[in-house]
Amino acid sequence: MKILLINKFYYPRGGDCIYTINLENLLKQHGHEVAIFAMQHHQTIESQWSEYFPTEIDFNKSNPKKLKEFILRPLGTSEVKRNFNRLLNNFKPDVVHLNNVHTQLSPVVAQLAHEKGIKVVWTLHDYKLLCPRYDCLRNGTVICELCFKDKKNVLKYSCMKNSKLASLLAYFEAKKWNRDNLEKYTDTFICPSEFMKQKMQEGNFQLQKLTVLHNFIDIKKVQKNNYPKSDYYCYVGRLSHEKGIKTLLEAAKNLPYKLKLIGTGPLSESLQSEYTSSNIEFSGHKNWEELKEILSNSCFLVIPSEWYENNPLSVIEALCLGIPVLGANIGGIPELIDSGKNGILFESGNMEDLQEKIRYCFDNLSLKTDGKQIAEEAQSQFSPDKYYDQLMDIYSLSFINQ
């Protein structure tokens, strides 16, 4: 089968990018021909398909030409259409598989593929099809679903970067690529969590076009021979408001347990200045081998998110390493945790409950859970082979529903 994978970036920038790269490798391992369509970027992985990649866009007020391209690209510019049509004509894919495409590429790629009679599958990594901001956070702080029904709310609250102009552009993008058009051009939407599927239904997307398929992980990178536990717990992820990082640090600062935070973000400097307790360690960015070493020896991973997490990779990685998870009961996180067996939940945003559950994890959960059993069950659940079989069923169903 010939499969064209599309993602706005083609380097390990975030979960959507890592998923795209891993999926490319998985499909090639099974003998499929795979092409890539992404935006040019100085970090882009070298590819035989890069000649088709449209130029990089960035918000640059000092360059009118680039500003114009930035404004028009989300709607589908001539460069994207021309390059993508050329790739479709030359590669002749059986399936076009979209990931994150808004803004830098635009859903015009789904339209062009559909018009040529090619099956279109779309993995949803965030809530952009429902929320112009993509994360269901009004101004980045308050959970909000108003745009599920009326996209004008992005204008009312200036949700995009607290900017009326940015919010106006996001509104026009949402109106151009509305639910009717997205459904018309897409055969199947893959939801990595039941929660995502539920929200898509609440946004009135057709149930028959929605299917749930949890993400997968490269099992080789999480294999290990023993399951030691040290005297600390871990946070892995972006240091930003929606991740609940302030709530976590407020809970941690007066506890006797050591917390290691791995990651960077917009709050890095301010948090390190504010939280100077000896039991809180900011480790910054780590490559996978460094991260694996720290995480593998921790008592548990804490994921204190205060936004609608979809199918967080950090949780999957921890479980596959045999590490239990203390997770906020929000978004798709609860689907990954079997309370008392591979982790426990706390009330999202509730510092007192989080503090109590951290104590519980050290006193009970980390002692009673079997790291080897957690790892074996998670590696089976998120294995590439299992994912591949289910994905092939989805691809086949797209042809049947033709």
Side-chain angles (χ1 to χ4, degrees):
M1 188 180 294
K2 301 177 77 171
I3 302 153
L4 173 53
L5 299 180
I6 308 177
N7 196 56
K8 57 176 70 175
F9 298 108
Y10 184 54
Y11 66 95
R13 175 189 175 106
D16 58 315
C17 309
I18 294 170
Y19 166 87
T20 302
I21 294 166
N22 288 343
L23 181 56
E24 177 190 11
N25 293 331
L26 179 63
L27 292 170
K28 285 181 176 179
Q29 289 168 14
H30 285 270
H32 300 284
E33 291 185 61
V34 183
I36 299 292
F37 189 71
M39 183 183 73
Q40 292 179 16
H41 189 273
H42 68 277
Q43 291 180 267
T44 294
I45 297 172
E46 186 175 342
S47 169
Q48 70 182 97
W49 309 105
S50 59
E51 66 175 281
Y52 299 99
F53 295 2
T55 53
E56 180 180 2
I57 59 164
D58 197 4
F59 186 72
N60 189 338
K61 293 181 180 179
S62 63
N63 187 323
K65 185 177 180 180
K66 287 188 176 182
L67 177 60
K68 180 181 178 182
E69 182 70 14
F70 182 88
I71 292 173
L72 296 178
R73 180 69 69 85
L75 306 179
T77 59
S78 58
E79 182 192 14
V80 171
K81 294 176 183 177
R82 182 174 61 254
N83 288 15
F84 189 66
N85 270 325
R86 191 159 56 91
L87 177 55
L88 291 180
N89 292 334
N90 292 341
F91 183 62
K92 296 180 172 55
D94 301 300
V95 174
V96 166
H97 189 151
L98 280 64
N99 292 281
N100 278 353
V101 300
H102 279 80
T103 306
Q104 284 83 353
L105 295 177
S106 102
V108 72
V109 294
Q111 178 183 354
L112 296 173
H114 173 80
E115 289 173 349
K116 289 182 178 292
I118 303 167
K119 296 298 100 183
V120 177
V121 173
W122 195 334
T123 295
L124 306 176
H125 298 277
D126 57 34
Y127 303 90
K128 183 67 174 178
L129 275 61
L130 301 169
C131 164
R133 254 191 68 95
Y134 82 83
D135 55 9
C136 298
L137 289 175
R138 188 187 308 162
N139 293 312
T141 58
V142 181
I143 292 286
C144 176
E145 299 180 0
L146 294 177
C147 282
F148 285 20
K149 304 299 182 184
D150 187 353
K151 299 297 187 290
K152 288 180 181 177
N153 285 289
V154 71
L155 300 175
K156 180 178 179 180
Y157 297 102
S158 296
C159 288
M160 294 297 293
K161 304 178 181 179
N162 292 315
S163 163
K164 291 187 180 299
L165 174 59
S167 299
L168 183 63
L169 296 177
Y171 173 73
F172 283 133
E173 181 183 22
K175 294 299 289 183
K176 166 75 172 177
W177 305 114
N178 56 49
R179 185 190 67 247
D180 290 342
N181 284 335
L182 295 173
E183 283 190 327
K184 179 168 65 175
Y185 303 139
T186 308
D187 296 279
T188 303
F189 295 102
I190 296 177
C191 304
S193 65
E194 290 286 351
F195 183 85
M196 171 67 81
K197 179 181 177 181
Q198 174 191 328
K199 292 304 171 187
M200 289 289 285
Q201 286 180 259
E202 291 174 11
N204 293 321
F205 278 80
Q206 298 173 33
L207 177 60
Q208 62 268 30
K209 290 209 169 191
L210 304 174
T211 188
V212 176
L213 179 58
H214 288 305
N215 292 328
F216 69 98
I217 191 170
D218 181 357
I219 298 301
K220 293 179 182 178
K221 79 173 193 175
V222 293
Q223 289 177 337
K224 59 182 191 176
N225 297 321
N226 50 62
Y227 299 88
K229 289 181 180 177
S230 190
D231 59 351
Y232 61 87
Y233 62 119
C234 273
Y235 167 84
V236 178
R238 183 172 164 82
L239 301 185
S240 54
H241 170 81
E242 76 278 3
K243 294 295 186 177
I245 193 68
K246 287 276 287 187
T247 303
L248 171 59
L249 290 169
E250 283 297 310
K253 69 179 184 181
N254 294 320
L255 292 174
Y257 317 109
K258 188 172 186 63
L259 168 64
K260 293 190 177 185
L261 300 108
I262 304 171
T264 60
L267 300 182
S268 293
E269 291 187 12
S270 61
L271 293 178
Q272 291 184 60
S273 298
E274 182 176 355
Y275 296 94
T276 57
S277 304
S278 60
N279 66 323
I280 297 175
E281 177 184 316
F282 292 88
S283 301
H285 172 75
K286 298 292 182 183
N287 63 38
W288 170 248
E289 289 305 319
E290 294 171 322
L291 169 58
K292 179 181 177 182
E293 179 69 19
I294 297 171
L295 187 55
S296 291
N297 288 284
S298 66
C299 285
F300 59 91
L301 172 76
V302 59
I303 179 165
S305 291
E306 295 174 10
W307 79 293
Y308 288 160
E309 291 278 3
N310 184 8
N311 190 229
L313 180 61
S314 59
V315 174
I316 295 174
E317 289 173 340
L319 295 176
C320 287
L321 288 169
I323 305 302
V325 176
L326 169 58
N329 62 342
I330 193 169
I333 296 173
E335 298 171 36
L336 302 175
I337 297 177
D338 188 352
S339 188
K341 293 184 179 180
N342 68 357
I344 193 170
L345 297 169
F346 76 96
E347 183 181 350
S348 177
N350 188 323
M351 190 272 289
E352 291 80 10
D353 189 36
L354 174 55
Q355 209 169 49
E356 180 183 331
K357 295 298 169 52
I358 291 173
R359 291 192 186 97
Y360 174 86
C361 287
F362 274 102
D363 295 341
N364 299 279
L365 186 65
S366 64
L367 299 176
K368 295 180 180 179
T369 53
D370 183 337
K372 184 177 181 181
Q373 182 178 351
I374 291 175
E376 288 177 348
E377 291 180 357
Q379 289 177 22
S380 174
Q381 181 179 358
F382 304 112
S383 76
D385 290 340
K386 181 177 180 180
Y387 189 92
Y388 173 79
D389 290 342
Q390 293 176 291
L391 183 62
M392 288 301 106
D393 288 341
I394 292 171
Y395 285 172
S396 298
L397 184 61
S398 296
F399 286 106
I400 293 172
N401 291 337
Q402 189 169 341

